[in-house]
Amino acid sequence: MTEPKANELPVNIEDEMRSSYLDYAMSVIIGRALPDIRDGLKPVHRRILYSMQELSNTSNRAHKKSARIVGDVIGKYHPHGDSAVYETMVRMAQGFSMREILVDGQGNFGSIDGDSPAAMRYTEVRMAKISATLMADIDKNTVDFVPNYDESLSEPTVLPARFPNLLVNGTSGIAVGMATNIPPHNLSEVVDAALLMLDRDNVSMSEVLDLIPGPDFPTGAFIYGRQGIHSAYQTGRGIIHMRARTEFEPLGKDRESIIIYELPYQVNKARLVEKIAQLVNQKKIQGISDLRDESDRRGMRVVIELKRGEHPQIVLNSLYKATSLQSSFGIIMLAIVEGRPRVLSLIEVINHFLQHRKNVVRRRTAFELAKAEKQAHLLDGLRIALSHLDQIIELIRKAQDPIEAKKELIQKFNFTEVQAKAILEMRLQRLTGLEREKIEQESSRLQKTISQLRKILEKDSALRDVIRDELIKIKDDFKSPRRTEIVDTQIDLSMEDLIAEEQMVITASRNGYIKRTSLKTYKSQHRGGKGRIGMSTRTEEDSIADLFVASTHSYMLIFTIRGKLHWLKAWKIPEVGTTGKGKPIVNLIDIDPDDRVADILNVHDFEGPLQVVTASLKGYVKKTPLKAYSHPRSSGIIACGVDKGDEVMSVALAEDERDIMLFSEKGKAIRFNSEQVRTMGRTARGVRGIRLRQGDQLIGMEIVDPERKDLLAVTEYGFGKRTPIDKYRRQGRGGQGVINIRTSERNGNVITSFLTDDESDIMIITKNGKLIRLPVDQIRLTLSRSAQGVKLIELGKKDRVADVSLISSSEEAHEEKLSEESEEKLSEESEE
């Protein structure tokens, strides 16, 4: 290591790097990237406005070339690149970037499409009217001035700022190791909150939130949810979620379009349209037939035309999920406070602004008081001089020079040097009677002004009154209605929001395959028809086990023979054509290898007094509240206790005081009131519902519905019998029941029995996958319970009926109106 020379000092490189980097970091933090808490401006914004003020480039003067302003800024105060200064000035003139523009621009200053502004030699600027309130009283010693970069001029460290610009216009910036991102707000709301905090010292956050519900972006649109807003206002950090403002417009029969009127803050419209087109071309979003931008001077209008029959809210939800029609804004309320960066709450931001205004008003008042007192002092001298006018004229006439005259005035009349000088410089016209009166009036006025100014300095209430009056005037001059609408609902888009609600036929096979097919696929046929293929079983060993109608948004409660329950949303079941076999249910739920599905309940929600009634093969029944099944686990939960050798056979939903009917394979039925079955927990086995004979087992259960007055029994060979429900008397629970249908070798064992009415249809599916749909009123009503029934479907030699499902008239009507009602409801939610 070489010895240092006489004029050199040894320096540790680590210490030097640390010190230099800290200096650089603080220079970026304080001098470039972060705003001051008091005026809400970064140095470059402040220097632009101050340069325009110095050039008299105010709102009541003609525009000046932007290049002229940029040149003054970089030449006098901001020794950086001209493009950076011009870009800053351009943003201050953009109505879609600033809630209250600070620069009034003339020419091309860019657009929300991301278009670049014209060069600075083509555009012209002047201060916006509201900027004058930021600069007001800057010449009255209200703020400190410091030398500029070459110490040839001075510049203000902060502007007087009569309104909380940091909140009104917001800001963003990235410093070293920290960043700020403050959204814009409505000026009237911010002023109201400032007035409240000016009047009272202890204002709660809830009171401030009543006045400032959230940010107010210049681009309008929606904010969804208040949790992020409250978090940001209380802690200084939070995330808010924004959505575009859209409407649905009809295009003709079965066609609609989505119209975009307002976008979330800082979203580029051209890039958004390009992204939507890209997603359509890549077939990631279906249902869009045309896309065009019809925006003009009157406002934004982006038109998305949909294909025939598409649900506009479903397409819009897909766009929310895949594009910036829905975006977020991360709030970080970081600003420079007394030379140091700090994250502040909303109340702290307003308090610091009010403290700044108090300092500004005090300094302005002190400046005006000194000026008034000086002027009053001169007037006092003039008043005395006028009272001794002859003597003073004689004194001045005898004096050899002004210096001697001034000395004589001071000695004989006790004038101060300033007063004596003013008397000597007084014009002869001031000696007239009218001028004397004016001096008296001016002196009296000044005394009142001095009294008022001293009161402001001495009394805090008077100081607050001045600030209050100034804030109210700014609110009156610049108030504007809120543009961004806040919706209480929190955004929580799930896959279900991307699925249209419609009625589906859910089909499950005995080997565990399940699928869904639109109900519109199946058309009604006549009794005795051959039907159509409803599900391909692919193998001779497989057959149809279950079939029912449900909405895509319904919950499927899947009960297994071992007494477990699994949850599955209907839309998660694969949609397959009428001939497809579907997907193994074990791929959709976590079912044990030795278990299988017993029954499936279609549930729309878990509210209300409904009970889940469970029946087993051996005739046991159990009643449990539906709410007990509303929180399942991925591996399933216990739904019913099952004895060895027994299985869960059927599950149904029931209201209290309804009758329960149980049906056996050998044609027996029993009817009893549900009150005879007490409410039990999920793990209970239940009580005996029907006493079965040797070789018989339970095949069905029904909850009696007053609207369905007939009971239909269907046997394995395709026979059916419809009997009035009145023919089945109510009995006590646990009996052997009565004959439901006479079984024989001709019609076979009973497959199912259920309640129906004349206006409903039934859907029969066979073990070989053949399916037929026919009206119930084509099955004649039989008064005898012991009849064998009539043939409903023609079966092949080895085919048997697998299952029968009822399609009620209400479900048909619901299917016809579902699309229209669903879109209307979702559209209303979007507008909210």
Side-chain angles (χ1 to χ4, degrees), residues 502-508 514-523 532-536 544 546-552 570-583 763 765 771 773 807 815:
E502 60 177 319
Q503 295 294 87
M504 309 296 293
V505 176
I506 310 294
T507 314
I514 190 169
K515 70 168 186 175
R516 62 184 170 97
T517 307
S518 176
L519 181 61
K520 297 176 182 178
T521 305
Y522 302 101
K523 295 182 179 179
R532 64 177 295 172
I533 297 298
M535 182 178 191
S536 173
I544 304 303
D546 206 353
L547 178 144
F548 57 91
V549 177
S551 163
T552 48
W571 60 265
K572 290 187 176 181
I573 300 172
E575 185 172 5
V576 182
T578 56
T579 59
K581 73 174 183 177
K583 189 174 184 179
M763 192 176 291
I765 194 161
L771 186 146
R773 174 174 174 171
I807 303 171
E815 170 60 22

Side-chain angles (χ1 to χ4, degrees), residues 203-217:
V203 176
S204 66
M205 181 60 72
S206 61
E207 291 177 300
V208 176
L209 288 171
D210 289 339
L211 298 174
I212 307 179
D216 186 22
F217 297 109

Side-chain angles (χ1 to χ4, degrees), residues 425-468:
E425 293 175 352
M426 183 174 62
R427 295 181 181 181
L428 290 176
Q429 69 178 20
R430 303 297 295 271
L431 302 179
T432 64
L434 184 62
E435 285 295 322
R436 292 184 182 188
E437 186 178 349
K438 284 183 179 180
I439 291 173
E440 291 291 341
Q441 291 176 351
E442 181 68 12
S443 178
S444 176
R445 185 190 65 80
L446 280 174
Q447 290 303 321
K448 291 181 180 179
T449 300
I450 291 170
S451 176
Q452 291 173 352
L453 293 174
R454 285 176 175 170
K455 183 179 179 181
I456 293 172
L457 291 175
E458 293 169 359
K459 293 186 177 181
D460 188 62
S461 59
L463 178 67
R464 291 171 185 257
D465 289 340
V466 173
I467 298 172
R468 182 185 301 105

Side-chain angles (χ1 to χ4, degrees), residues 637-685:
I637 60 174
I638 297 175
C640 179
V642 180
D643 290 342
K644 187 175 181 180
D646 198 5
E647 297 177 358
V648 173
M649 185 281 310
S650 181
V651 184
L653 291 173
E655 297 178 2
D656 289 336
E657 299 182 357
R658 287 288 183 90
D659 286 356
I660 299 173
M661 293 192 72
L662 302 177
F663 312 101
S664 79
E665 187 179 58
K666 299 302 182 182
K668 283 296 189 78
I670 188 171
R671 176 180 179 179
F672 57 89
N673 191 271
S674 62
E675 292 295 320
Q676 296 186 29
V677 182
R678 62 182 176 83
T679 301
M680 308 176 191
R682 288 190 293 107
T683 59
R685 179 196 68 171

Side-chain angles (χ1 to χ4, degrees), residues 50 54 71-79 145-156:
Y50 184 65
E54 290 289 285
D72 262 40
V73 172
I74 63 177
K76 293 180 178 179
Y77 308 112
H78 198 72
F145 279 73
V146 294
N148 67 339
Y149 66 93
D150 63 358
E151 298 187 357
S152 61
L153 299 168
S154 60
E155 61 176 314

